[in-house]
């Protein structure tokens, strides 16, 4: 199990199927422990600081966190860099799934670093 997943690519079905598979595995794993909190954020409506604060916090009754960030490519460069920084030292009680229909944004040098610290799943 990884702490950060990056699910990117143009194939909507493969992206959604990959997210569903990861989510199901993680939730089953977390339920065997103490349960899980599941949250969905949209990059066009959220700031990276808010997501990172949630990712670093312990859930209610020490539950684990599963966070899905949709449209990761729509974050500003500043927010993307904050997420890259978080991925270098993630909370072990949180799984962060970053989703993007556009994998071209990975050509950005800072984001190439993200693929070092996350599990990249290409959906083309």
């Amino acid at each position: 199990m990884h702490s950060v997943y990056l699910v990117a690519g143009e194939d909507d079905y493969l992206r959604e199927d990959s997210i569903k598979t990861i989510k199901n595995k993680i939730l089953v794993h977390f339920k065997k422990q103490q349960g899980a909190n599941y949250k969905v954020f949209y990059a066009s409506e959220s700031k990276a600081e808010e997501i990172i604060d949630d990712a670093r916090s312990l859930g209610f009754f020490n539950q684990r966190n599963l966070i899905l960030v949709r449209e990761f490519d729509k974050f500003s460069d500043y927010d993307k860099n904050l997420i890259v920084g978080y991925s270098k030292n993630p909370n072990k009680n949180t799984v962060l799934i970053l989703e993007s229909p556009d994998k071209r944004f990975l050509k950005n040098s800072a984001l190439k670093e993200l693929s070092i610290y996350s599990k990249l799943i290409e959906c083309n």
Side-chain angles (χ1 to χ4, degrees):
M1 180 172 73
H2 298 274
S3 294
V4 181
Y5 290 85
L6 179 56
V7 181
E10 299 162 354
D11 189 313
D12 293 339
Y13 176 80
L14 288 177
R15 253 189 0 268
E16 292 307 314
D17 189 53
S18 295
I19 290 169
K20 182 179 173 183
T21 300
I22 295 166
K23 184 174 128 180
N24 289 339
K25 284 182 182 178
I26 298 304
L27 289 176
V28 166
H29 176 75
F30 283 168
K31 284 181 184 175
K32 287 180 183 175
Q33 295 172 5
Q34 294 179 333
N37 294 314
Y38 176 63
K39 292 187 179 181
V40 178
F41 292 92
Y42 288 82
S44 58
E45 301 169 2
S46 305
K47 298 286 184 194
E49 290 100 345
E50 174 187 5
I51 295 166
I52 292 169
D53 284 346
D54 267 12
R56 292 211 185 277
S57 70
L58 280 177
F60 194 60
F61 294 118
N62 292 328
Q63 289 181 323
R64 310 296 193 239
N65 295 314
L66 175 58
I67 299 173
L68 171 60
V69 179
R70 296 271 185 190
E71 305 168 338
F72 178 71
D73 56 292
K74 292 188 178 180
F75 266 142
S76 68
D77 286 343
Y78 174 78
D79 283 333
K80 288 175 187 170
N81 285 328
L82 288 176
I83 296 291
V84 170
Y86 168 80
S87 70
K88 292 177 183 179
N89 186 24
N91 179 353
K92 300 301 180 201
N93 293 317
T94 297
V95 173
L96 180 63
I97 304 171
L98 308 170
E99 178 266 343
S100 173
D102 183 6
K103 74 171 195 159
R104 292 176 293 168
F105 77 96
L106 289 172
K107 293 183 180 179
N108 176 314
S109 62
L111 292 177
K112 285 183 185 176
E113 189 174 8
L114 180 61
S115 64
I116 295 169
Y117 299 103
S118 66
K119 170 71 174 166
L120 175 61
I121 300 170
E122 294 188 52
C123 301
N124 296 314

